[in-house]
Amino acid sequence: MLTIRFIRAGKKHQPSFKIVAVEKSRSASSGKFLEELGSYNPLQKKTNLKKDRILHWISKGAGISDTARNLFIKFGVIKGKKIAKNKPS
């Protein structure tokens, strides 16, 4: 199964993330992904998303991680409710 998720790509104490389509069973640190769909830099608040490619992979049945889903909703790529990061016990 495919999933859309973050892969960390920054230096120590300077996080930067790639948003990629990857096989769910692959580890995030393997670096082997199908396609890069965008990037996110939380320190500079910069986001680069390929909306058409993201929607393409979702239409093919790819799942989305909770954090990536919240980011897509924030920037209007998809519609829906955000998922709570810390679920109350």
Coordinates of all heavy atoms in Angstrom, one line a residue:
M1 N 0.8 -1.2 0.0 CA 0.0 0.0 0.0 C 0.9 1.2 0.0 O 1.9 1.3 0.6 CB -0.9 0.0 1.2 CG -1.8 1.2 1.3 SD -2.9 1.0 2.7 CE -3.6 2.6 2.8
L2 N 0.4 2.3 -0.7 CA 1.2 3.5 -0.8 C 0.7 4.5 0.3 O -0.5 4.4 0.7 CB 1.0 4.2 -2.1 CG 1.5 3.4 -3.3 CD1 1.1 4.1 -4.6 CD2 3.0 3.3 -3.2
T3 N 1.6 5.3 0.7 CA 1.2 6.4 1.7 C 2.0 7.7 1.4 O 3.1 7.6 0.8 CB 1.5 5.9 3.1 OG1 1.0 6.9 4.0 CG2 3.0 5.7 3.4
I4 N 1.4 8.8 1.7 CA 2.0 10.1 1.5 C 2.4 10.5 2.9 O 1.6 10.6 3.8 CB 1.0 11.1 0.9 CG1 0.6 10.6 -0.5 CG2 1.7 12.5 0.8 CD1 -0.5 11.4 -1.1
R5 N 3.7 10.8 3.1 CA 4.2 11.2 4.4 C 5.4 12.0 4.3 O 6.0 12.3 3.3 CB 4.5 9.9 5.3 CG 5.6 9.1 4.7 CD 5.8 7.9 5.6 NE 6.9 7.1 5.1 CZ 7.2 5.9 5.5 NH1 6.4 5.3 6.3 NH2 8.2 5.2 5.0
F6 N 5.9 12.5 5.5 CA 7.1 13.3 5.6 C 8.4 12.5 5.7 O 8.3 11.4 6.3 CB 7.1 14.2 6.9 CG 6.1 15.3 6.8 CD1 4.9 15.2 7.5 CD2 6.4 16.5 6.2 CE1 4.0 16.2 7.5 CE2 5.5 17.5 6.2 CZ 4.3 17.4 6.8
I7 N 9.4 13.0 5.1 CA 10.8 12.4 5.3 C 11.7 13.6 5.7 O 11.7 14.6 5.0 CB 11.3 11.7 4.1 CG1 10.5 10.5 3.8 CG2 12.8 11.4 4.2 CD1 11.0 9.7 2.5
R8 N 12.4 13.4 6.8 CA 13.2 14.5 7.3 C 14.4 14.7 6.4 O 15.1 13.7 6.1 CB 13.6 14.3 8.8 CG 14.4 15.5 9.3 CD 14.8 15.3 10.7 NE 15.8 16.3 11.1 CZ 15.7 17.1 12.1 NH1 14.7 17.0 12.9 NH2 16.7 18.0 12.3
A9 N 14.8 15.9 6.1 CA 15.9 16.1 5.2 C 16.8 17.2 5.6 O 17.7 17.6 4.9 CB 15.4 16.5 3.8
G10 N 16.6 17.8 6.8 CA 17.4 18.9 7.3 C 18.6 18.5 8.1 O 18.9 17.4 8.4
K11 N 19.4 19.6 8.5 CA 20.6 19.4 9.3 C 20.1 19.3 10.8 O 18.9 19.5 11.1 CB 21.5 20.5 9.2 CG 22.2 20.7 7.8 CD 23.3 21.6 7.8 CE 22.8 23.1 7.8 NZ 23.9 24.0 7.7
K12 N 21.1 19.0 11.7 CA 20.8 18.9 13.1 C 20.3 20.3 13.6 O 20.9 21.3 13.3 CB 22.0 18.6 13.9 CG 21.7 18.3 15.4 CD 23.0 18.2 16.1 CE 23.7 16.9 15.9 NZ 24.9 16.7 16.8
H13 N 19.2 20.3 14.3 CA 18.5 21.5 14.8 C 18.0 22.5 13.7 O 17.6 23.6 14.0 CB 19.5 22.3 15.8 CG 20.0 21.5 16.9 ND1 19.2 21.0 17.9 CD2 21.2 21.1 17.2 CE1 19.9 20.3 18.7 NE2 21.2 20.3 18.3
Q14 N 17.9 22.0 12.5 CA 17.4 22.8 11.4 C 16.5 21.9 10.6 O 16.8 21.5 9.5 CB 18.5 23.4 10.5 CG 19.3 24.4 11.3 CD 20.4 25.0 10.4 OE1 20.5 24.6 9.2 NE2 21.1 25.9 10.9
P15 N 15.3 21.5 11.1 CA 14.5 20.5 10.4 C 13.9 21.1 9.1 O 13.6 22.2 9.0 CB 13.4 20.2 11.4 CG 13.3 21.4 12.2 CD 14.7 22.0 12.3
S16 N 13.9 20.2 8.1 CA 13.3 20.5 6.8 C 12.7 19.1 6.4 O 13.4 18.1 6.6 CB 14.3 21.0 5.8 OG 13.7 21.2 4.6
F17 N 11.6 19.1 5.7 CA 10.9 17.8 5.4 C 10.6 17.8 3.9 O 10.2 18.8 3.3 CB 9.7 17.7 6.2 CG 9.9 17.6 7.7 CD1 9.8 18.8 8.5 CD2 10.2 16.5 8.3 CE1 10.0 18.8 9.8 CE2 10.5 16.4 9.7 CZ 10.4 17.6 10.4
K18 N 10.7 16.6 3.3 CA 10.2 16.3 2.0 C 8.8 15.6 2.2 O 8.7 14.8 3.1 CB 11.1 15.4 1.2 CG 12.4 16.0 0.8 CD 13.2 15.0 0.1 CE 14.6 15.5 -0.3 NZ 15.4 14.5 -1.0
I19 N 7.9 15.9 1.3 CA 6.6 15.2 1.3 C 6.7 14.2 0.2 O 6.8 14.7 -1.0 CB 5.4 16.2 1.2 CG1 5.5 17.1 2.4 CG2 4.1 15.4 1.2 CD1 4.6 18.3 2.3
V20 N 6.5 12.9 0.4 CA 6.8 12.0 -0.6 C 5.7 10.9 -0.6 O 5.0 10.7 0.3 CB 8.2 11.2 -0.4 CG1 9.3 12.2 -0.5 CG2 8.2 10.5 0.9
A21 N 5.6 10.3 -1.8 CA 4.7 9.1 -2.0 C 5.7 7.9 -1.9 O 6.7 7.8 -2.6 CB 4.0 9.1 -3.3
V22 N 5.4 7.0 -0.9 CA 6.3 5.9 -0.6 C 5.5 4.6 -0.3 O 4.4 4.7 0.2 CB 7.3 6.3 0.5 CG1 6.5 6.5 1.8 CG2 8.4 5.3 0.7
E23 N 6.1 3.5 -0.5 CA 5.5 2.2 0.0 C 5.4 2.2 1.5 O 6.4 2.6 2.1 CB 6.4 1.0 -0.6 CG 5.7 -0.3 -0.4 CD 4.5 -0.5 -1.3 OE1 4.4 0.0 -2.4 OE2 3.5 -1.1 -0.8
K24 N 4.3 1.9 2.1 CA 4.1 2.0 3.5 C 5.1 1.1 4.3 O 5.5 1.5 5.4 CB 2.7 1.6 3.9 CG 2.3 1.9 5.3 CD 0.9 1.7 5.5 CE 0.6 2.1 7.0 NZ -0.8 2.6 7.1
S25 N 5.6 0.0 3.7 CA 6.5 -0.9 4.5 C 7.9 -0.3 4.5 O 8.7 -0.8 5.3 CB 6.4 -2.3 3.9 OG 6.9 -2.2 2.5
R26 N 8.3 0.6 3.7 CA 9.6 1.2 3.7 C 9.9 2.1 4.9 O 9.0 2.8 5.3 CB 9.9 1.9 2.4 CG 10.0 1.1 1.2 CD 10.9 1.7 0.2 NE 11.0 1.0 -1.0 CZ 12.0 0.1 -1.3 NH1 13.0 -0.1 -0.4 NH2 12.0 -0.6 -2.4
S27 N 11.1 2.1 5.4 CA 11.4 3.0 6.5 C 11.6 4.4 5.9 O 12.0 4.5 4.7 CB 12.7 2.5 7.2 OG 13.9 3.0 6.6
A28 N 11.4 5.3 6.8 CA 11.5 6.7 6.3 C 13.0 7.1 6.0 O 13.2 8.0 5.2 CB 11.0 7.7 7.4
S29 N 13.9 6.4 6.6 CA 15.3 6.8 6.4 C 15.9 6.1 5.2 O 17.1 6.3 4.9 CB 16.1 6.5 7.7 OG 16.1 5.1 7.9
S30 N 15.2 5.2 4.5 CA 15.8 4.5 3.4 C 16.0 5.4 2.2 O 16.9 5.1 1.4 CB 14.8 3.3 3.0 OG 13.7 3.8 2.3
G31 N 15.3 6.5 2.1 CA 15.5 7.4 0.9 C 14.9 6.9 -0.4 O 15.0 7.6 -1.4
K32 N 14.3 5.7 -0.4 CA 13.7 5.2 -1.6 C 12.2 5.5 -1.6 O 11.4 4.9 -0.9 CB 13.9 3.7 -1.7 CG 15.4 3.4 -1.8 CD 15.6 1.9 -1.9 CE 17.1 1.6 -2.0 NZ 17.4 0.2 -2.0
F33 N 11.8 6.5 -2.4 CA 10.4 6.8 -2.6 C 10.0 6.9 -4.0 O 10.9 7.0 -4.9 CB 10.1 8.2 -1.8 CG 11.0 9.3 -2.2 CD1 10.8 10.1 -3.3 CD2 12.1 9.6 -1.4 CE1 11.7 11.1 -3.6 CE2 13.0 10.6 -1.7 CZ 12.8 11.4 -2.8
L34 N 8.7 6.9 -4.3 CA 8.3 6.9 -5.7 C 8.3 8.3 -6.3 O 8.7 8.5 -7.5 CB 6.8 6.4 -5.8 CG 6.7 4.9 -5.3 CD1 5.2 4.6 -5.2 CD2 7.4 4.0 -6.2
E35 N 7.9 9.3 -5.5 CA 7.8 10.6 -6.1 C 7.9 11.7 -5.0 O 7.2 11.5 -3.9 CB 6.6 10.8 -6.9 CG 6.5 12.1 -7.6 CD 5.2 12.3 -8.5 OE1 4.5 11.3 -8.6 OE2 5.0 13.4 -9.0
E36 N 8.6 12.7 -5.2 CA 8.6 13.9 -4.2 C 7.4 14.8 -4.6 O 7.3 15.2 -5.7 CB 9.9 14.6 -4.3 CG 10.0 15.7 -3.2 CD 11.3 16.4 -3.2 OE1 12.3 15.8 -3.7 OE2 11.4 17.5 -2.6
L37 N 6.5 15.0 -3.6 CA 5.3 15.8 -3.8 C 5.4 17.2 -3.3 O 4.5 18.0 -3.5 CB 4.1 15.1 -3.2 CG 3.9 13.6 -3.7 CD1 2.8 13.0 -2.9 CD2 3.6 13.6 -5.2
G38 N 6.5 17.5 -2.6 CA 6.6 18.9 -2.1 C 7.6 18.9 -0.9 O 8.3 17.9 -0.7
S39 N 7.7 20.1 -0.3 CA 8.6 20.3 0.8 C 8.0 21.2 1.9 O 7.0 21.9 1.6 CB 9.9 20.8 0.4 OG 9.7 22.1 -0.2
Y40 N 8.5 21.1 3.1 CA 8.0 21.9 4.2 C 9.1 22.3 5.1 O 9.9 21.4 5.5 CB 6.9 21.1 5.0 CG 6.4 21.8 6.2 CD1 5.7 23.0 6.1 CD2 6.6 21.2 7.5 CE1 5.2 23.6 7.3 CE2 6.1 21.9 8.6 CZ 5.4 23.1 8.5 OH 5.0 23.7 9.6
N41 N 9.3 23.6 5.4 CA 10.3 24.1 6.3 C 9.6 24.8 7.4 O 9.1 25.9 7.3 CB 11.3 25.0 5.5 CG 12.4 25.4 6.4 OD1 12.4 25.4 7.6 ND2 13.5 25.7 5.7
P42 N 9.5 24.1 8.6 CA 8.8 24.7 9.7 C 9.5 26.0 10.3 O 8.8 26.8 10.9 CB 8.7 23.6 10.7 CG 9.8 22.7 10.4 CD 10.0 22.8 8.9
L43 N 10.8 26.1 10.2 CA 11.5 27.3 10.7 C 11.2 28.5 9.9 O 11.0 29.6 10.5 CB 13.0 27.0 10.8 CG 13.4 25.9 11.7 CD1 14.9 25.7 11.7 CD2 12.9 26.1 13.2
Q44 N 11.2 28.4 8.6 CA 11.0 29.6 7.8 C 9.5 29.7 7.3 O 9.1 30.6 6.6 CB 11.8 29.5 6.5 CG 13.3 29.5 6.8 CD 14.2 29.4 5.6 OE1 13.6 29.1 4.5 NE2 15.5 29.5 5.7
K45 N 8.7 28.7 7.8 CA 7.2 28.7 7.4 C 7.0 28.7 5.9 O 6.1 29.4 5.4 CB 6.5 29.9 8.0 CG 6.7 30.1 9.5 CD 5.9 29.0 10.3 CE 5.9 29.4 11.8 NZ 6.1 28.3 12.6
K46 N 7.9 28.0 5.2 CA 7.8 27.8 3.7 C 7.2 26.5 3.4 O 7.7 25.5 3.9 CB 9.1 28.1 3.1 CG 9.6 29.5 3.1 CD 10.8 29.7 2.3 CE 11.3 31.2 2.4 NZ 12.5 31.4 1.7
T47 N 6.3 26.4 2.4 CA 5.7 25.2 2.0 C 5.6 25.2 0.5 O 5.3 26.2 -0.1 CB 4.3 25.0 2.5 OG1 4.4 25.1 4.0 CG2 3.7 23.7 2.2
N48 N 6.0 24.1 -0.1 CA 5.9 24.0 -1.6 C 5.2 22.6 -1.9 O 5.8 21.6 -1.5 CB 7.4 24.0 -2.2 CG 7.3 23.8 -3.7 OD1 6.3 24.0 -4.3 ND2 8.5 23.3 -4.2
L49 N 4.0 22.7 -2.4 CA 3.2 21.5 -2.6 C 2.8 21.4 -4.1 O 2.5 22.4 -4.7 CB 1.9 21.5 -1.8 CG 2.1 21.6 -0.3 CD1 0.7 21.8 0.4 CD2 2.8 20.4 0.2
K50 N 2.9 20.2 -4.6 CA 2.5 19.9 -6.0 C 1.1 19.3 -5.9 O 0.8 18.1 -5.8 CB 3.4 18.9 -6.7 CG 4.8 19.4 -6.8 CD 5.7 18.3 -7.4 CE 7.1 18.7 -7.4 NZ 8.0 17.7 -7.9
K51 N 0.1 20.3 -5.9 CA -1.3 19.9 -5.7 C -1.8 18.8 -6.6 O -2.5 17.9 -6.2 CB -2.2 21.2 -5.7 CG -3.6 20.9 -5.4 CD -4.4 22.2 -5.4 CE -5.8 21.9 -5.1 NZ -6.6 23.2 -5.0
D52 N -1.5 19.0 -7.9 CA -2.0 18.0 -8.9 C -1.5 16.6 -8.7 O -2.2 15.6 -8.8 CB -1.8 18.5 -10.3 CG -0.3 18.7 -10.6 OD1 0.5 19.0 -9.6 OD2 0.1 18.6 -11.8
R53 N -0.2 16.5 -8.3 CA 0.4 15.2 -8.1 C -0.1 14.6 -6.8 O -0.3 13.4 -6.7 CB 1.9 15.3 -8.1 CG 2.5 15.7 -9.4 CD 2.1 14.9 -10.5 NE 2.5 13.5 -10.4 CZ 2.1 12.5 -11.1 NH1 1.2 12.6 -12.0 NH2 2.5 11.2 -10.9
I54 N -0.4 15.4 -5.8 CA -0.9 14.9 -4.5 C -2.3 14.3 -4.8 O -2.6 13.2 -4.3 CB -1.0 16.0 -3.4 CG1 0.5 16.4 -3.0 CG2 -1.8 15.6 -2.2 CD1 0.5 17.7 -2.2
L55 N -3.1 15.0 -5.5 CA -4.5 14.6 -5.8 C -4.4 13.3 -6.7 O -5.3 12.4 -6.5 CB -5.3 15.7 -6.4 CG -5.6 16.9 -5.6 CD1 -6.3 18.0 -6.3 CD2 -6.4 16.5 -4.3
H56 N -3.5 13.2 -7.6 CA -3.3 12.0 -8.4 C -3.0 10.8 -7.5 O -3.7 9.8 -7.7 CB -2.1 12.3 -9.4 CG -1.7 11.0 -10.1 ND1 -2.4 10.4 -11.1 CD2 -0.6 10.2 -9.8 CE1 -1.8 9.3 -11.5 NE2 -0.7 9.2 -10.7
W57 N -2.1 10.9 -6.6 CA -1.8 9.8 -5.7 C -3.0 9.4 -4.8 O -3.2 8.2 -4.5 CB -0.5 10.0 -4.9 CG 0.7 9.9 -5.8 CD1 1.5 10.9 -6.2 CD2 1.2 8.7 -6.3 NE1 2.5 10.3 -7.0 CE2 2.4 9.0 -7.1 CE3 0.8 7.3 -6.3 CZ2 3.1 8.0 -7.8 CZ3 1.6 6.4 -7.0 CH2 2.7 6.7 -7.7
I58 N -3.7 10.4 -4.3 CA -4.8 10.1 -3.5 C -5.9 9.4 -4.3 O -6.5 8.4 -3.8 CB -5.4 11.4 -2.9 CG1 -4.4 12.0 -1.8 CG2 -6.7 11.2 -2.2 CD1 -4.8 13.3 -1.3
S59 N -6.1 9.8 -5.6 CA -7.1 9.1 -6.4 C -6.7 7.7 -6.7 O -7.5 6.8 -7.0 CB -7.3 9.9 -7.7 OG -6.1 9.8 -8.5
K60 N -5.4 7.4 -6.7 CA -4.9 6.0 -6.9 C -5.0 5.2 -5.7 O -4.6 4.0 -5.7 CB -3.4 6.0 -7.4 CG -3.2 6.7 -8.7 CD -3.7 5.8 -9.8 CE -3.4 6.4 -11.2 NZ -4.0 5.7 -12.3
G61 N -5.4 5.7 -4.5 CA -5.6 5.0 -3.3 C -4.6 5.1 -2.3 O -4.5 4.3 -1.3
A62 N -3.7 6.1 -2.4 CA -2.6 6.3 -1.4 C -3.2 6.8 -0.1 O -4.1 7.7 -0.2 CB -1.6 7.2 -1.9
G63 N -2.7 6.3 1.0 CA -3.1 6.8 2.3 C -2.3 8.1 2.6 O -1.3 8.4 2.0
I64 N -2.8 8.8 3.6 CA -2.1 10.0 4.0 C -1.8 9.9 5.5 O -2.7 9.6 6.3 CB -2.9 11.3 3.7 CG1 -3.4 11.3 2.3 CG2 -2.1 12.5 4.0 CD1 -4.4 12.4 2.0
S65 N -0.6 10.3 5.9 CA -0.3 10.3 7.4 C -1.1 11.5 8.0 O -1.5 12.4 7.3 CB 1.2 10.5 7.6 OG 1.6 11.8 7.3
D66 N -1.3 11.4 9.3 CA -2.1 12.4 10.0 C -1.5 13.8 9.9 O -2.2 14.8 9.6 CB -2.3 12.1 11.5 CG -3.1 10.8 11.7 OD1 -3.8 10.4 10.8 OD2 -3.0 10.3 12.8
T67 N -0.2 13.9 10.0 CA 0.5 15.2 9.9 C 0.4 15.8 8.5 O 0.1 17.0 8.3 CB 1.9 15.1 10.4 OG1 2.0 14.5 11.6 CG2 2.6 16.5 10.5
A68 N 0.6 15.0 7.5 CA 0.5 15.4 6.1 C -1.0 15.8 5.8 O -1.2 16.8 5.1 CB 0.9 14.3 5.2
R69 N -1.9 15.1 6.3 CA -3.3 15.4 6.1 C -3.6 16.8 6.7 O -4.3 17.6 6.0 CB -4.3 14.4 6.7 CG -5.7 14.7 6.6 CD -6.6 13.6 7.2 NE -6.5 12.4 6.6 CZ -7.1 12.0 5.5 NH1 -7.9 12.8 4.9 NH2 -6.9 10.8 5.0
N70 N -3.2 17.1 7.9 CA -3.4 18.4 8.5 C -2.8 19.5 7.7 O -3.3 20.6 7.5 CB -2.9 18.4 9.9 CG -3.7 17.6 10.8 OD1 -4.9 17.2 10.5 ND2 -3.2 17.2 12.0
L71 N -1.6 19.3 7.1 CA -0.9 20.3 6.3 C -1.7 20.5 5.0 O -1.9 21.7 4.6 CB 0.5 19.8 6.0 CG 1.4 20.8 5.3 CD1 1.9 21.9 6.3 CD2 2.6 20.2 4.6
F72 N -2.2 19.5 4.4 CA -2.9 19.6 3.1 C -4.2 20.4 3.4 O -4.6 21.2 2.6 CB -3.2 18.2 2.5 CG -2.0 17.5 2.1 CD1 -2.1 16.1 1.9 CD2 -0.8 18.1 1.9 CE1 -1.0 15.4 1.5 CE2 0.3 17.4 1.4 CZ 0.2 16.0 1.2
I73 N -4.9 20.1 4.5 CA -6.1 20.8 4.8 C -5.8 22.3 5.1 O -6.5 23.2 4.6 CB -6.8 20.2 6.0 CG1 -7.4 18.8 5.7 CG2 -7.9 21.1 6.6 CD1 -7.8 18.0 6.8
K74 N -4.7 22.6 5.8 CA -4.3 24.0 6.1 C -4.1 24.8 4.8 O -4.5 25.9 4.7 CB -3.1 24.0 6.9 CG -2.6 25.3 7.3 CD -1.3 25.3 8.2 CE -0.8 26.6 8.5 NZ 0.4 26.5 9.3
F75 N -3.5 24.2 3.8 CA -3.2 24.9 2.6 C -4.2 24.7 1.5 O -4.0 25.1 0.3 CB -1.7 24.5 2.1 CG -0.7 25.1 3.0 CD1 0.0 24.4 3.9 CD2 -0.4 26.5 2.9 CE1 0.9 24.9 4.8 CE2 0.6 27.0 3.8 CZ 1.2 26.2 4.7
G76 N -5.3 24.0 1.8 CA -6.4 23.9 0.8 C -6.3 22.9 -0.3 O -6.9 23.0 -1.3
V77 N -5.4 21.9 -0.1 CA -5.2 20.9 -1.1 C -6.4 19.9 -1.1 O -6.9 19.5 -2.1 CB -3.9 20.1 -0.9 CG1 -3.8 19.0 -1.9 CG2 -2.7 21.1 -1.1
I78 N -6.8 19.5 0.2 CA -8.0 18.7 0.4 C -8.9 19.4 1.4 O -8.4 20.3 2.1 CB -7.6 17.3 0.8 CG1 -6.8 17.3 2.1 CG2 -6.8 16.5 -0.2 CD1 -6.6 15.9 2.7
K79 N -10.1 18.9 1.5 CA -11.1 19.5 2.4 C -11.4 18.4 3.5 O -11.3 17.2 3.2 CB -12.3 19.9 1.7 CG -12.1 21.1 0.8 CD -13.4 21.5 0.2 CE -13.0 22.7 -0.7 NZ -14.0 23.1 -1.6
G80 N -11.7 18.9 4.7 CA -12.0 18.0 5.8 C -11.7 18.6 7.1 O -11.3 19.8 7.2
K81 N -11.8 17.8 8.1 CA -11.4 18.2 9.5 C -10.0 17.8 9.8 O -9.6 16.7 9.4 CB -12.4 17.7 10.5 CG -13.8 18.3 10.5 CD -14.6 17.7 11.6 CE -15.2 18.9 12.3 NZ -15.9 18.4 13.5
K82 N -9.3 18.7 10.5 CA -8.0 18.3 11.0 C -8.0 17.2 12.0 O -9.0 17.1 12.8 CB -7.2 19.5 11.6 CG -6.8 20.5 10.5 CD -5.9 21.6 11.1 CE -5.4 22.5 10.1 NZ -4.5 23.5 10.7
I83 N -7.0 16.4 12.1 CA -6.9 15.3 13.1 C -6.1 15.7 14.2 O -5.0 16.3 14.0 CB -6.3 14.0 12.4 CG1 -7.2 13.5 11.3 CG2 -6.1 12.9 13.4 CD1 -6.6 12.5 10.4
A84 N -6.5 15.5 15.4 CA -5.8 16.0 16.6 C -4.5 15.2 16.7 O -4.4 14.0 16.5 CB -6.6 15.7 17.9
K85 N -3.4 15.9 16.9 CA -2.1 15.3 17.0 C -1.9 14.5 18.3 O -1.5 13.4 18.3 CB -1.0 16.4 17.0 CG -0.8 17.0 15.6 CD 0.3 18.0 15.6 CE 0.3 18.8 14.3 NZ 1.4 19.8 14.3
N86 N -2.3 15.1 19.4 CA -2.2 14.4 20.7 C -3.6 14.1 21.1 O -4.4 14.9 21.6 CB -1.6 15.4 21.8 CG -0.2 15.7 21.4 OD1 0.5 14.9 20.8 ND2 0.3 16.9 21.8
K87 N -3.9 12.8 21.0 CA -5.3 12.4 21.3 C -5.5 12.3 22.8 O -4.6 11.7 23.5 CB -5.6 11.0 20.6 CG -5.6 11.1 19.1 CD -5.8 9.8 18.4 CE -5.7 10.0 16.9 NZ -5.7 8.8 16.2
P88 N -6.5 12.9 23.4 CA -6.7 12.8 24.8 C -7.0 11.4 25.3 O -7.6 10.6 24.5 CB -7.9 13.7 25.1 CG -8.6 13.9 23.8 CD -7.5 13.6 22.7
S89 N -6.5 11.0 26.4 CA -6.7 9.7 26.9 C -8.0 9.6 27.7 O -8.7 10.5 28.0 CB -5.5 9.3 27.9 OG -5.4 10.2 28.9

